[in-house]
Amino acid sequence: MKDDNYLDVFDDQQKAIDHAMWLKFKYRIAGIVFGVIHGPENNWAVCEEATAQDMELPFLGILPKDYSQMSYDMIRHIRMDRDSLPFWDAIIGMFSVADGEILRFIIHTKLPLERLIRHELAGRGYDENHRWCGFDKASEIWLK
């Protein structure tokens, strides 16, 4: 990844997509849209929509809606990456340090992880955009 204020350049298309997905989520409150364009050296670049427009380059339209169709091969690729994206490190790290028997219990009992996460978020008192809204409102938002 190139350290640049305007473009983050990647040799791997999927890594560029992942980076754009994270930035799109991270800056959702500010309304900044990120996407992937063709990079300067037959590679892939992630930038804000305004930057792409200034360069007169359209986004490639390759960002998925979500990761619900993630394959085991994609997970393996992320885990093997020597220069992985920080958000992947954080997510995978949560599972990597968990006891194997706990992970097997989660799968065996079909424990609803989404509900556990929603309950945790409700207890923090913040809305979907990480703005304080109080515990009652947060419960309304997260415990649907």
Side-chain angles (χ1 to χ4, degrees):
M1 182 171 78
K2 179 180 171 188
D3 187 17
D4 192 311
N5 292 334
Y6 303 103
L7 293 176
D8 292 326
V9 179
F10 299 88
D11 290 328
D12 182 86
Q13 180 185 31
Q14 185 60 52
K15 196 166 184 178
I17 290 169
D18 293 343
H19 185 59
M21 291 284 285
W22 171 251
L23 291 176
K24 187 176 170 184
F25 176 79
K26 182 177 178 180
Y27 293 101
R28 70 196 181 283
I29 299 167
I32 301 171
V33 177
F34 287 85
V36 178
I37 60 174
H38 288 291
E41 296 177 14
N42 200 24
N43 48 16
W44 313 95
V46 176
C47 64
E48 296 179 27
E49 187 175 42
T51 300
Q53 289 173 347
D54 286 347
M55 295 173 20
E56 298 180 357
L57 294 170
F59 284 155
L60 297 177
I62 57 176
L63 297 186
K65 178 181 176 237
D66 56 38
Y67 284 108
S68 61
Q69 301 301 311
M70 181 181 274
S71 68
Y72 290 120
D73 283 339
M74 184 176 171
I75 295 167
R76 186 175 9 266
H77 184 75
I78 291 166
R79 299 236 15 205
M80 292 174 56
D81 189 352
R82 291 181 187 254
D83 184 30
S84 57
L85 297 167
F87 76 94
W88 281 135
D89 289 341
I91 292 168
I92 291 170
M94 288 187 289
F95 291 100
S96 295
V97 298
D99 180 86
E101 198 68 355
I102 296 295
L103 294 174
R104 286 183 284 279
F105 176 79
I106 290 169
I107 290 172
H108 179 77
T109 61
K110 299 179 182 167
L111 196 68
L113 291 179
E114 182 175 341
R115 287 187 181 178
L116 288 172
I117 293 167
R118 287 178 169 279
H119 189 271
E120 178 63 29
L121 291 170
R124 295 180 182 193
Y126 290 90
D127 69 8
E128 305 95 323
N129 294 315
H130 197 66
R131 292 189 179 124
W132 174 256
C133 63
F135 300 109
D136 293 337
K137 182 65 176 172
S139 290
E140 288 176 28
I141 292 168
W142 293 110
L143 304 181
K144 306 174 194 181

